[in-house]
Amino acid sequence: MAEITWIKLKTDMFDDEKIKLIERMPEGDGILIIWVKLLAYAGKVNCSGYIMIAEDIPMNVEEMAIIFNRPLEKVRYAIQVLQRYRMIDVDENERVCISNWEKHQNIDGMEKVRLQTAERNRKYRERKKQQALQAPESSQNNEGNVSVTSRDGIDKELDIDKEIDKEIDKEQELLKEESASPSSVAVVNPFNFYAQNGFGLTMNDITREKIVGWCNDLSDELVIHAMQIAMERNSISWSYAEGILKKWHSKGVKSLKDVDALLAQFEAQRAQKNRSHGNQRTENIPEWFGKHQAESAATQQKANEPIDFEAERAKVLAKLGGA
């Protein structure tokens, strides 16, 4: 249903009692924005009103906060309010679904698309059948120029129908692949990346809050890139990835280009440091330092000479006799 690109919003929707009650709430405007975003997303994925990341992956509250670009606590509050007024339903698997989805769904548009697809398939089938029936029904061998029919007319028509069905299926599959947007097939977000790459089988509330916070402060892209770096360094843990994010935040990083620039700066500084260590260090020695070194060497040499005790004794006695 990739062709379905709009939903119905009634012009008197703001006259609804539930909408009026929500408008009077402190966060009323934010709740209504989230409500419209839920409607739009449900229409985009077209899963009978369910809010889904992919066909078999329901979107949880943390992922809504990222995709809707709203603080997590406000999304949680909005879900509680909308559920209380029965504008949405949350099943036992925590899948969020728009209540009375048929009120908002483009039923007429869906029917129109269905009829157009059926008519296109009918014309395609008729065209392929005519081409097959007009093709030569016999072939000539190289020796005898003898006509050989492969099967009778009824069997041939049945085989043509089977081949046409196969080609129609292939064509429709290609159309789905080409028309499906990335967000309608699968949304790569930090929560999916965390779960799919060994950072943890489960995620506690503290880690969820941190991931949402970093996505708001930096971006989903940078949070995922930090986890990728942690994987490359064989340090698959959220604490390691968060350390990278803290460093980027302190350096004013806002995008992957900033990360590349920071890395280039680090490499340049390291290369400069290696060059400076490679050069031999030479300094001018002061004159006084040379004299000090000579006196120290003479003193050390004299200290190392053997002592003549008799000569020293004679000097002492001569001094005493003179006194």
Short mmCIF file of all heavy atoms in Angstrom, two decimals, residues 76-140:
data_model
loop_
_atom_site.label_atom_id
_atom_site.label_comp_id
_atom_site.label_asym_id
_atom_site.label_seq_id
_atom_site.Cartn_x
_atom_site.Cartn_y
_atom_site.Cartn_z
N ARG A 76 5.63 9.79 26.92
CA ARG A 76 4.98 8.87 27.85
C ARG A 76 3.69 9.47 28.40
O ARG A 76 2.66 8.79 28.49
CB ARG A 76 5.94 8.56 29.01
CG ARG A 76 7.01 7.55 28.66
CD ARG A 76 7.93 7.33 29.83
NE ARG A 76 8.89 6.27 29.56
CZ ARG A 76 10.00 6.08 30.26
NH1 ARG A 76 10.29 6.89 31.27
NH2 ARG A 76 10.82 5.09 29.97
N TYR A 77 3.74 10.74 28.78
CA TYR A 77 2.56 11.40 29.31
C TYR A 77 1.46 11.47 28.25
O TYR A 77 0.27 11.21 28.55
CB TYR A 77 2.93 12.80 29.79
CG TYR A 77 1.77 13.59 30.35
CD1 TYR A 77 1.09 13.14 31.48
CD2 TYR A 77 1.37 14.79 29.77
CE1 TYR A 77 0.03 13.86 32.00
CE2 TYR A 77 0.31 15.52 30.29
CZ TYR A 77 -0.36 15.04 31.41
OH TYR A 77 -1.42 15.76 31.92
N ALA A 78 1.83 11.79 27.02
CA ALA A 78 0.84 11.87 25.94
C ALA A 78 0.19 10.51 25.70
O ALA A 78 -1.04 10.43 25.51
CB ALA A 78 1.51 12.36 24.65
N ILE A 79 0.96 9.43 25.72
CA ILE A 79 0.41 8.09 25.53
C ILE A 79 -0.59 7.76 26.63
O ILE A 79 -1.67 7.19 26.39
CB ILE A 79 1.53 7.03 25.48
CG1 ILE A 79 2.40 7.24 24.23
CG2 ILE A 79 0.97 5.63 25.50
CD1 ILE A 79 1.68 7.06 22.93
N GLN A 80 -0.25 8.14 27.87
CA GLN A 80 -1.17 7.88 29.00
C GLN A 80 -2.48 8.64 28.81
O GLN A 80 -3.57 8.09 29.03
CB GLN A 80 -0.49 8.29 30.31
CG GLN A 80 0.68 7.41 30.69
CD GLN A 80 1.41 7.93 31.92
OE1 GLN A 80 1.07 8.98 32.48
NE2 GLN A 80 2.44 7.21 32.34
N VAL A 81 -2.38 9.92 28.41
CA VAL A 81 -3.59 10.73 28.22
C VAL A 81 -4.44 10.18 27.07
O VAL A 81 -5.66 10.01 27.21
CB VAL A 81 -3.21 12.20 27.96
CG1 VAL A 81 -4.44 13.02 27.55
CG2 VAL A 81 -2.56 12.80 29.19
N LEU A 82 -3.82 9.90 25.95
CA LEU A 82 -4.55 9.39 24.78
C LEU A 82 -5.17 8.03 25.05
O LEU A 82 -6.28 7.74 24.58
CB LEU A 82 -3.61 9.31 23.58
CG LEU A 82 -3.04 10.64 23.07
CD1 LEU A 82 -2.00 10.41 21.99
CD2 LEU A 82 -4.15 11.56 22.56
N GLN A 83 -4.48 7.22 25.85
CA GLN A 83 -5.03 5.92 26.20
C GLN A 83 -6.22 6.09 27.16
O GLN A 83 -7.23 5.37 27.04
CB GLN A 83 -3.95 5.05 26.84
CG GLN A 83 -4.37 3.60 27.06
CD GLN A 83 -3.24 2.76 27.61
OE1 GLN A 83 -2.17 3.27 27.98
NE2 GLN A 83 -3.45 1.46 27.67
N ARG A 84 -6.12 7.04 28.07
CA ARG A 84 -7.22 7.29 29.01
C ARG A 84 -8.49 7.72 28.29
O ARG A 84 -9.60 7.30 28.64
CB ARG A 84 -6.81 8.36 30.02
CG ARG A 84 -7.89 8.69 31.04
CD ARG A 84 -7.38 9.69 32.06
NE ARG A 84 -8.39 9.95 33.07
CZ ARG A 84 -9.34 10.87 32.97
NH1 ARG A 84 -9.39 11.64 31.89
NH2 ARG A 84 -10.22 11.04 33.94
N TYR A 85 -8.34 8.54 27.26
CA TYR A 85 -9.50 9.00 26.50
C TYR A 85 -9.86 8.03 25.36
O TYR A 85 -10.68 8.36 24.50
CB TYR A 85 -9.23 10.39 25.94
CG TYR A 85 -9.23 11.48 26.99
CD1 TYR A 85 -8.23 12.43 27.06
CD2 TYR A 85 -10.26 11.54 27.93
CE1 TYR A 85 -8.23 13.42 28.03
CE2 TYR A 85 -10.27 12.53 28.90
CZ TYR A 85 -9.26 13.46 28.95
OH TYR A 85 -9.28 14.44 29.91
N ARG A 86 -9.22 6.87 25.35
CA ARG A 86 -9.50 5.81 24.38
C ARG A 86 -9.33 6.28 22.93
O ARG A 86 -10.03 5.83 22.03
CB ARG A 86 -10.91 5.25 24.59
CG ARG A 86 -11.09 4.60 25.96
CD ARG A 86 -12.48 4.05 26.14
NE ARG A 86 -12.61 3.45 27.48
CZ ARG A 86 -13.75 2.95 27.95
NH1 ARG A 86 -14.84 2.95 27.21
NH2 ARG A 86 -13.79 2.44 29.17
N MET A 87 -8.37 7.15 22.74
CA MET A 87 -8.01 7.57 21.39
C MET A 87 -6.99 6.61 20.79
O MET A 87 -6.84 6.54 19.58
CB MET A 87 -7.46 9.00 21.42
CG MET A 87 -8.49 10.01 21.94
SD MET A 87 -7.79 11.61 22.34
CE MET A 87 -7.46 12.28 20.72
N ILE A 88 -6.29 5.89 21.67
CA ILE A 88 -5.39 4.83 21.25
C ILE A 88 -5.61 3.61 22.14
O ILE A 88 -6.17 3.73 23.24
CB ILE A 88 -3.90 5.24 21.32
CG1 ILE A 88 -3.51 5.57 22.76
CG2 ILE A 88 -3.60 6.40 20.39
CD1 ILE A 88 -2.03 5.81 22.95
N ASP A 89 -5.20 2.46 21.66
CA ASP A 89 -5.23 1.23 22.44
C ASP A 89 -3.82 0.68 22.53
O ASP A 89 -3.04 0.79 21.58
CB ASP A 89 -6.14 0.18 21.79
CG ASP A 89 -7.60 0.62 21.77
OD1 ASP A 89 -8.07 1.13 22.79
OD2 ASP A 89 -8.25 0.47 20.71
N VAL A 90 -3.50 0.08 23.68
CA VAL A 90 -2.20 -0.57 23.87
C VAL A 90 -2.49 -2.01 24.27
O VAL A 90 -3.09 -2.25 25.32
CB VAL A 90 -1.36 0.14 24.94
CG1 VAL A 90 0.00 -0.55 25.08
CG2 VAL A 90 -1.17 1.62 24.60
N ASP A 91 -2.07 -2.96 23.42
CA ASP A 91 -2.39 -4.36 23.71
C ASP A 91 -1.40 -4.98 24.67
O ASP A 91 -0.49 -4.30 25.19
CB ASP A 91 -2.49 -5.16 22.40
CG ASP A 91 -1.17 -5.22 21.65
OD1 ASP A 91 -0.11 -4.90 22.25
OD2 ASP A 91 -1.18 -5.58 20.45
N GLU A 92 -1.56 -6.30 24.90
CA GLU A 92 -0.71 -6.98 25.88
C GLU A 92 0.75 -7.02 25.46
O GLU A 92 1.64 -7.20 26.29
CB GLU A 92 -1.22 -8.41 26.11
CG GLU A 92 -1.16 -9.33 24.90
CD GLU A 92 -2.35 -9.17 23.97
OE1 GLU A 92 -3.18 -8.25 24.23
OE2 GLU A 92 -2.46 -9.93 23.00
N ASN A 93 1.00 -6.85 24.17
CA ASN A 93 2.38 -6.82 23.67
C ASN A 93 2.93 -5.40 23.57
O ASN A 93 3.96 -5.17 22.93
CB ASN A 93 2.46 -7.50 22.30
CG ASN A 93 2.11 -8.97 22.36
OD1 ASN A 93 2.51 -9.67 23.29
ND2 ASN A 93 1.35 -9.46 21.39
N GLU A 94 2.20 -4.44 24.18
CA GLU A 94 2.59 -3.02 24.20
C GLU A 94 2.61 -2.42 22.80
O GLU A 94 3.36 -1.49 22.53
CB GLU A 94 3.94 -2.84 24.89
CG GLU A 94 3.93 -3.26 26.36
CD GLU A 94 5.23 -2.93 27.07
OE1 GLU A 94 6.17 -2.48 26.39
OE2 GLU A 94 5.31 -3.13 28.29
N ARG A 95 1.80 -2.95 21.90
CA ARG A 95 1.66 -2.35 20.57
C ARG A 95 0.61 -1.26 20.63
O ARG A 95 -0.48 -1.47 21.14
CB ARG A 95 1.27 -3.41 19.54
CG ARG A 95 2.31 -4.49 19.32
CD ARG A 95 1.92 -5.39 18.15
NE ARG A 95 0.57 -5.95 18.34
CZ ARG A 95 -0.08 -6.62 17.39
NH1 ARG A 95 0.49 -6.80 16.20
NH2 ARG A 95 -1.28 -7.11 17.63
N VAL A 96 0.96 -0.09 20.13
CA VAL A 96 0.05 1.05 20.14
C VAL A 96 -0.76 1.05 18.84
O VAL A 96 -0.20 0.91 17.74
CB VAL A 96 0.83 2.37 20.27
CG1 VAL A 96 -0.11 3.57 20.21
CG2 VAL A 96 1.62 2.38 21.58
N CYS A 97 -2.08 1.22 18.97
CA CYS A 97 -2.97 1.20 17.81
C CYS A 97 -3.95 2.36 17.92
O CYS A 97 -4.45 2.67 19.02
CB CYS A 97 -3.71 -0.12 17.74
SG CYS A 97 -4.86 -0.23 16.35
N ILE A 98 -4.22 3.03 16.82
CA ILE A 98 -5.20 4.11 16.79
C ILE A 98 -6.60 3.52 16.90
O ILE A 98 -6.97 2.63 16.13
CB ILE A 98 -5.09 4.93 15.49
CG1 ILE A 98 -3.66 5.45 15.30
CG2 ILE A 98 -6.09 6.08 15.49
CD1 ILE A 98 -3.20 6.41 16.35
N SER A 99 -7.37 3.99 17.86
CA SER A 99 -8.75 3.52 18.00
C SER A 99 -9.60 4.03 16.84
O SER A 99 -9.41 5.16 16.36
CB SER A 99 -9.33 4.00 19.33
OG SER A 99 -8.55 3.56 20.42
N ASN A 100 -10.55 3.20 16.40
CA ASN A 100 -11.45 3.58 15.30
C ASN A 100 -10.67 4.08 14.09
O ASN A 100 -10.93 5.16 13.55
CB ASN A 100 -12.45 4.64 15.76
CG ASN A 100 -13.29 4.17 16.93
OD1 ASN A 100 -13.75 3.03 16.95
ND2 ASN A 100 -13.48 5.04 17.91
N TRP A 101 -9.69 3.29 13.68
CA TRP A 101 -8.79 3.72 12.61
C TRP A 101 -9.52 4.05 11.32
O TRP A 101 -9.09 4.90 10.56
CB TRP A 101 -7.74 2.64 12.38
CG TRP A 101 -6.81 2.89 11.24
CD1 TRP A 101 -6.60 2.10 10.16
CD2 TRP A 101 -5.96 4.03 11.06
NE1 TRP A 101 -5.67 2.66 9.33
CE2 TRP A 101 -5.26 3.86 9.86
CE3 TRP A 101 -5.74 5.17 11.79
CZ2 TRP A 101 -4.36 4.77 9.37
CZ3 TRP A 101 -4.83 6.10 11.32
CH2 TRP A 101 -4.15 5.90 10.11
N GLU A 102 -10.67 3.40 11.10
CA GLU A 102 -11.39 3.64 9.86
C GLU A 102 -11.85 5.09 9.74
O GLU A 102 -12.10 5.59 8.63
CB GLU A 102 -12.60 2.70 9.75
CG GLU A 102 -13.67 2.90 10.81
CD GLU A 102 -13.34 2.14 12.09
OE1 GLU A 102 -12.27 1.51 12.16
OE2 GLU A 102 -14.16 2.19 13.02
N LYS A 103 -11.94 5.82 10.85
CA LYS A 103 -12.31 7.23 10.79
C LYS A 103 -11.22 8.06 10.13
O LYS A 103 -11.49 9.10 9.53
CB LYS A 103 -12.56 7.77 12.20
CG LYS A 103 -13.83 7.25 12.85
CD LYS A 103 -13.89 7.67 14.31
CE LYS A 103 -13.79 9.18 14.48
NZ LYS A 103 -13.89 9.58 15.90
N HIS A 104 -9.98 7.62 10.26
CA HIS A 104 -8.85 8.41 9.77
C HIS A 104 -8.24 7.82 8.50
O HIS A 104 -7.50 8.51 7.80
CB HIS A 104 -7.77 8.49 10.85
CG HIS A 104 -8.28 8.93 12.18
ND1 HIS A 104 -8.59 10.24 12.45
CD2 HIS A 104 -8.57 8.23 13.31
CE1 HIS A 104 -9.03 10.34 13.70
NE2 HIS A 104 -9.02 9.14 14.24
N GLN A 105 -8.53 6.55 8.22
CA GLN A 105 -7.90 5.90 7.08
C GLN A 105 -8.52 6.36 5.77
O GLN A 105 -9.70 6.71 5.72
CB GLN A 105 -8.03 4.38 7.21
CG GLN A 105 -7.37 3.58 6.10
CD GLN A 105 -5.90 3.89 5.97
OE1 GLN A 105 -5.52 4.88 5.37
NE2 GLN A 105 -5.05 3.04 6.53
N ASN A 106 -7.73 6.34 4.74
CA ASN A 106 -8.15 6.75 3.41
C ASN A 106 -8.80 5.55 2.70
O ASN A 106 -8.24 4.97 1.78
CB ASN A 106 -6.93 7.27 2.63
CG ASN A 106 -7.28 7.66 1.21
OD1 ASN A 106 -8.44 7.88 0.88
ND2 ASN A 106 -6.26 7.73 0.37
N ILE A 107 -9.99 5.18 3.16
CA ILE A 107 -10.65 3.99 2.63
C ILE A 107 -10.94 4.15 1.14
O ILE A 107 -10.71 3.24 0.34
CB ILE A 107 -11.96 3.71 3.39
CG1 ILE A 107 -11.67 3.52 4.88
CG2 ILE A 107 -12.65 2.49 2.81
CD1 ILE A 107 -10.80 2.33 5.19
N ASP A 108 -11.47 5.33 0.74
CA ASP A 108 -11.78 5.55 -0.67
C ASP A 108 -10.53 5.46 -1.52
O ASP A 108 -10.53 4.89 -2.62
CB ASP A 108 -12.44 6.93 -0.85
CG ASP A 108 -13.80 6.99 -0.16
OD1 ASP A 108 -14.40 5.92 0.05
OD2 ASP A 108 -14.23 8.11 0.18
N GLY A 109 -9.44 6.05 -1.04
CA GLY A 109 -8.19 6.00 -1.78
C GLY A 109 -7.67 4.58 -1.92
O GLY A 109 -7.15 4.18 -2.96
N MET A 110 -7.80 3.80 -0.84
CA MET A 110 -7.35 2.41 -0.89
C MET A 110 -8.14 1.62 -1.93
O MET A 110 -7.58 0.82 -2.69
CB MET A 110 -7.51 1.76 0.48
CG MET A 110 -6.55 2.27 1.54
SD MET A 110 -6.85 1.50 3.15
CE MET A 110 -6.49 -0.19 2.77
N GLU A 111 -9.47 1.83 -1.96
CA GLU A 111 -10.29 1.12 -2.93
C GLU A 111 -9.94 1.52 -4.36
O GLU A 111 -9.89 0.69 -5.27
CB GLU A 111 -11.77 1.41 -2.64
CG GLU A 111 -12.74 0.70 -3.57
CD GLU A 111 -12.71 -0.81 -3.43
OE1 GLU A 111 -12.14 -1.30 -2.43
OE2 GLU A 111 -13.24 -1.50 -4.31
N LYS A 112 -9.68 2.81 -4.55
CA LYS A 112 -9.31 3.30 -5.87
C LYS A 112 -8.01 2.66 -6.33
O LYS A 112 -7.88 2.23 -7.49
CB LYS A 112 -9.18 4.82 -5.85
CG LYS A 112 -8.86 5.43 -7.20
CD LYS A 112 -8.79 6.95 -7.10
CE LYS A 112 -8.45 7.57 -8.45
NZ LYS A 112 -8.37 9.05 -8.34
N VAL A 113 -7.05 2.61 -5.45
CA VAL A 113 -5.77 1.99 -5.80
C VAL A 113 -5.95 0.50 -6.10
O VAL A 113 -5.35 -0.04 -7.04
CB VAL A 113 -4.76 2.18 -4.65
CG1 VAL A 113 -3.51 1.33 -4.86
CG2 VAL A 113 -4.37 3.65 -4.53
N ARG A 114 -6.81 -0.18 -5.32
CA ARG A 114 -7.05 -1.60 -5.55
C ARG A 114 -7.63 -1.84 -6.94
O ARG A 114 -7.21 -2.74 -7.67
CB ARG A 114 -7.99 -2.16 -4.49
CG ARG A 114 -8.17 -3.67 -4.56
CD ARG A 114 -9.24 -4.13 -3.59
NE ARG A 114 -10.55 -3.67 -4.01
CZ ARG A 114 -11.28 -4.25 -4.95
NH1 ARG A 114 -10.81 -5.30 -5.61
NH2 ARG A 114 -12.47 -3.77 -5.28
N LEU A 115 -8.63 -1.01 -7.33
CA LEU A 115 -9.25 -1.15 -8.64
C LEU A 115 -8.26 -0.84 -9.76
O LEU A 115 -8.25 -1.53 -10.79
CB LEU A 115 -10.48 -0.24 -8.73
CG LEU A 115 -11.66 -0.60 -7.81
CD1 LEU A 115 -12.75 0.46 -7.91
CD2 LEU A 115 -12.22 -1.97 -8.16
N GLN A 116 -7.44 0.19 -9.55
CA GLN A 116 -6.44 0.53 -10.56
C GLN A 116 -5.44 -0.61 -10.75
O GLN A 116 -5.04 -0.93 -11.88
CB GLN A 116 -5.72 1.82 -10.18
CG GLN A 116 -6.59 3.06 -10.31
CD GLN A 116 -5.87 4.30 -9.81
OE1 GLN A 116 -4.85 4.21 -9.12
NE2 GLN A 116 -6.40 5.47 -10.14
N THR A 117 -5.03 -1.22 -9.64
CA THR A 117 -4.08 -2.33 -9.73
C THR A 117 -4.69 -3.53 -10.45
O THR A 117 -4.04 -4.17 -11.29
CB THR A 117 -3.63 -2.75 -8.31
OG1 THR A 117 -3.04 -1.62 -7.66
CG2 THR A 117 -2.62 -3.88 -8.37
N ALA A 118 -5.98 -3.82 -10.12
CA ALA A 118 -6.65 -4.94 -10.79
C ALA A 118 -6.78 -4.69 -12.29
O ALA A 118 -6.56 -5.60 -13.10
CB ALA A 118 -8.02 -5.16 -10.16
N GLU A 119 -7.14 -3.46 -12.69
CA GLU A 119 -7.29 -3.14 -14.10
C GLU A 119 -5.94 -3.21 -14.81
O GLU A 119 -5.85 -3.71 -15.95
CB GLU A 119 -7.89 -1.74 -14.25
CG GLU A 119 -8.08 -1.28 -15.69
CD GLU A 119 -9.09 -2.12 -16.46
OE1 GLU A 119 -9.84 -2.89 -15.81
OE2 GLU A 119 -9.13 -2.03 -17.70
N ARG A 120 -4.89 -2.73 -14.14
CA ARG A 120 -3.56 -2.80 -14.74
C ARG A 120 -3.12 -4.25 -14.94
O ARG A 120 -2.54 -4.60 -15.97
CB ARG A 120 -2.56 -2.05 -13.85
CG ARG A 120 -1.17 -1.96 -14.46
CD ARG A 120 -0.27 -1.03 -13.67
NE ARG A 120 -0.06 -1.48 -12.31
CZ ARG A 120 -0.54 -0.87 -11.23
NH1 ARG A 120 -1.27 0.22 -11.36
NH2 ARG A 120 -0.30 -1.34 -10.03
N ASN A 121 -3.42 -5.09 -13.95
CA ASN A 121 -3.07 -6.51 -14.08
C ASN A 121 -3.86 -7.18 -15.22
O ASN A 121 -3.33 -8.03 -15.95
CB ASN A 121 -3.34 -7.25 -12.77
CG ASN A 121 -2.33 -6.89 -11.70
OD1 ASN A 121 -1.27 -6.34 -12.00
ND2 ASN A 121 -2.64 -7.19 -10.45
N ARG A 122 -5.15 -6.80 -15.37
CA ARG A 122 -5.96 -7.40 -16.42
C ARG A 122 -5.41 -7.05 -17.80
O ARG A 122 -5.27 -7.91 -18.68
CB ARG A 122 -7.41 -6.92 -16.30
CG ARG A 122 -8.37 -7.61 -17.27
CD ARG A 122 -9.72 -6.93 -17.26
NE ARG A 122 -9.64 -5.58 -17.81
CZ ARG A 122 -9.58 -5.31 -19.12
NH1 ARG A 122 -9.56 -6.29 -20.02
NH2 ARG A 122 -9.51 -4.06 -19.54
N LYS A 123 -5.06 -5.76 -17.98
CA LYS A 123 -4.52 -5.33 -19.27
C LYS A 123 -3.17 -5.97 -19.53
O LYS A 123 -2.86 -6.37 -20.65
CB LYS A 123 -4.39 -3.81 -19.30
CG LYS A 123 -5.74 -3.08 -19.33
CD LYS A 123 -5.54 -1.58 -19.38
CE LYS A 123 -6.88 -0.85 -19.45
NZ LYS A 123 -6.71 0.62 -19.49
N TYR A 124 -2.37 -6.08 -18.49
CA TYR A 124 -1.06 -6.69 -18.65
C TYR A 124 -1.20 -8.16 -19.04
O TYR A 124 -0.51 -8.67 -19.92
CB TYR A 124 -0.27 -6.56 -17.34
CG TYR A 124 1.10 -7.17 -17.37
CD1 TYR A 124 2.18 -6.47 -17.91
CD2 TYR A 124 1.33 -8.45 -16.87
CE1 TYR A 124 3.44 -7.03 -17.94
CE2 TYR A 124 2.58 -9.01 -16.89
CZ TYR A 124 3.65 -8.30 -17.43
OH TYR A 124 4.90 -8.86 -17.46
N ARG A 125 -2.14 -8.87 -18.38
CA ARG A 125 -2.38 -10.27 -18.68
C ARG A 125 -2.84 -10.45 -20.14
O ARG A 125 -2.37 -11.35 -20.85
CB ARG A 125 -3.42 -10.83 -17.72
CG ARG A 125 -3.74 -12.31 -17.94
CD ARG A 125 -4.92 -12.73 -17.06
NE ARG A 125 -4.57 -12.60 -15.67
CZ ARG A 125 -3.97 -13.56 -14.95
NH1 ARG A 125 -3.65 -14.69 -15.54
NH2 ARG A 125 -3.69 -13.37 -13.69
N GLU A 126 -3.77 -9.60 -20.58
CA GLU A 126 -4.29 -9.71 -21.93
C GLU A 126 -3.19 -9.45 -22.96
O GLU A 126 -3.08 -10.15 -23.97
CB GLU A 126 -5.43 -8.71 -22.13
CG GLU A 126 -6.13 -8.81 -23.47
CD GLU A 126 -6.85 -10.13 -23.67
OE1 GLU A 126 -7.22 -10.76 -22.64
OE2 GLU A 126 -7.02 -10.55 -24.83
N ARG A 127 -2.35 -8.45 -22.67
CA ARG A 127 -1.27 -8.13 -23.60
C ARG A 127 -0.26 -9.27 -23.71
O ARG A 127 0.16 -9.64 -24.81
CB ARG A 127 -0.57 -6.84 -23.14
CG ARG A 127 0.48 -6.35 -24.12
CD ARG A 127 1.03 -5.00 -23.71
NE ARG A 127 1.78 -5.05 -22.46
CZ ARG A 127 1.32 -4.56 -21.32
NH1 ARG A 127 0.13 -4.00 -21.25
NH2 ARG A 127 2.07 -4.62 -20.22
N LYS A 128 0.12 -9.86 -22.61
CA LYS A 128 1.08 -10.95 -22.63
C LYS A 128 0.51 -12.19 -23.31
O LYS A 128 1.21 -12.91 -24.02
CB LYS A 128 1.52 -11.29 -21.20
CG LYS A 128 2.24 -10.17 -20.49
CD LYS A 128 3.57 -9.82 -21.14
CE LYS A 128 4.59 -10.90 -20.92
NZ LYS A 128 5.92 -10.53 -21.44
N LYS A 129 -0.80 -12.43 -23.10
CA LYS A 129 -1.42 -13.59 -23.72
C LYS A 129 -1.45 -13.44 -25.24
O LYS A 129 -1.17 -14.39 -25.97
CB LYS A 129 -2.83 -13.78 -23.16
CG LYS A 129 -3.53 -15.03 -23.68
CD LYS A 129 -4.92 -15.20 -23.09
CE LYS A 129 -4.81 -15.51 -21.61
NZ LYS A 129 -6.15 -15.83 -21.03
N GLN A 130 -1.77 -12.25 -25.71
CA GLN A 130 -1.80 -12.02 -27.16
C GLN A 130 -0.42 -12.20 -27.76
O GLN A 130 -0.26 -12.77 -28.85
CB GLN A 130 -2.33 -10.61 -27.45
CG GLN A 130 -3.81 -10.43 -27.16
CD GLN A 130 -4.69 -11.31 -28.05
OE1 GLN A 130 -4.35 -11.59 -29.21
NE2 GLN A 130 -5.81 -11.77 -27.51
N GLN A 131 0.61 -11.71 -27.05
CA GLN A 131 1.97 -11.86 -27.56
C GLN A 131 2.37 -13.33 -27.65
O GLN A 131 3.02 -13.76 -28.60
CB GLN A 131 2.94 -11.11 -26.65
CG GLN A 131 2.80 -9.60 -26.72
CD GLN A 131 3.67 -8.90 -25.69
OE1 GLN A 131 4.34 -9.55 -24.88
NE2 GLN A 131 3.67 -7.57 -25.74
N ALA A 132 1.95 -14.10 -26.65
CA ALA A 132 2.31 -15.52 -26.64
C ALA A 132 1.57 -16.29 -27.72
O ALA A 132 2.14 -17.18 -28.37
CB ALA A 132 2.01 -16.12 -25.26
N LEU A 133 0.28 -15.97 -27.93
CA LEU A 133 -0.50 -16.69 -28.93
C LEU A 133 -0.05 -16.35 -30.34
O LEU A 133 -0.19 -17.16 -31.26
CB LEU A 133 -1.99 -16.37 -28.76
CG LEU A 133 -2.65 -16.94 -27.50
CD1 LEU A 133 -4.08 -16.45 -27.38
CD2 LEU A 133 -2.61 -18.46 -27.50
N GLN A 134 0.47 -15.15 -30.53
CA GLN A 134 0.91 -14.75 -31.86
C GLN A 134 2.30 -15.27 -32.20
O GLN A 134 2.76 -15.17 -33.33
CB GLN A 134 0.89 -13.22 -31.98
CG GLN A 134 -0.51 -12.64 -31.99
CD GLN A 134 -0.52 -11.13 -31.91
OE1 GLN A 134 0.55 -10.51 -31.93
NE2 GLN A 134 -1.71 -10.55 -31.81
N ALA A 135 2.98 -15.79 -31.20
CA ALA A 135 4.34 -16.32 -31.45
C ALA A 135 4.24 -17.59 -32.29
O ALA A 135 3.22 -18.28 -32.29
CB ALA A 135 5.03 -16.62 -30.13
N PRO A 136 5.26 -17.97 -33.06
CA PRO A 136 5.24 -19.20 -33.88
C PRO A 136 5.01 -20.41 -33.01
O PRO A 136 5.56 -20.53 -31.93
CB PRO A 136 6.64 -19.23 -34.51
CG PRO A 136 7.10 -17.81 -34.46
CD PRO A 136 6.50 -17.21 -33.23
N GLU A 137 4.12 -21.29 -33.48
CA GLU A 137 3.77 -22.48 -32.72
C GLU A 137 4.58 -23.69 -33.16
O GLU A 137 4.37 -24.80 -32.71
CB GLU A 137 2.27 -22.78 -32.86
CG GLU A 137 1.38 -21.70 -32.26
CD GLU A 137 -0.09 -22.09 -32.33
OE1 GLU A 137 -0.39 -23.19 -32.85
OE2 GLU A 137 -0.92 -21.30 -31.87
N SER A 138 5.43 -23.47 -34.12
CA SER A 138 6.23 -24.61 -34.58
C SER A 138 7.65 -24.16 -34.83
O SER A 138 7.92 -22.98 -34.94
CB SER A 138 5.64 -25.20 -35.87
OG SER A 138 5.67 -24.23 -36.89
N SER A 139 8.50 -25.08 -34.89
CA SER A 139 9.90 -24.78 -35.19
C SER A 139 10.42 -25.77 -36.21
O SER A 139 9.90 -26.88 -36.34
CB SER A 139 10.74 -24.85 -33.91
OG SER A 139 10.70 -26.15 -33.40
N GLN A 140 11.42 -25.38 -36.95
CA GLN A 140 11.98 -26.25 -37.98
C GLN A 140 13.35 -26.73 -37.54
O GLN A 140 14.15 -25.94 -37.05
CB GLN A 140 12.12 -25.48 -39.31
CG GLN A 140 10.78 -25.04 -39.87
CD GLN A 140 10.95 -24.28 -41.17
OE1 GLN A 140 12.04 -23.81 -41.47
NE2 GLN A 140 9.87 -24.17 -41.92
#
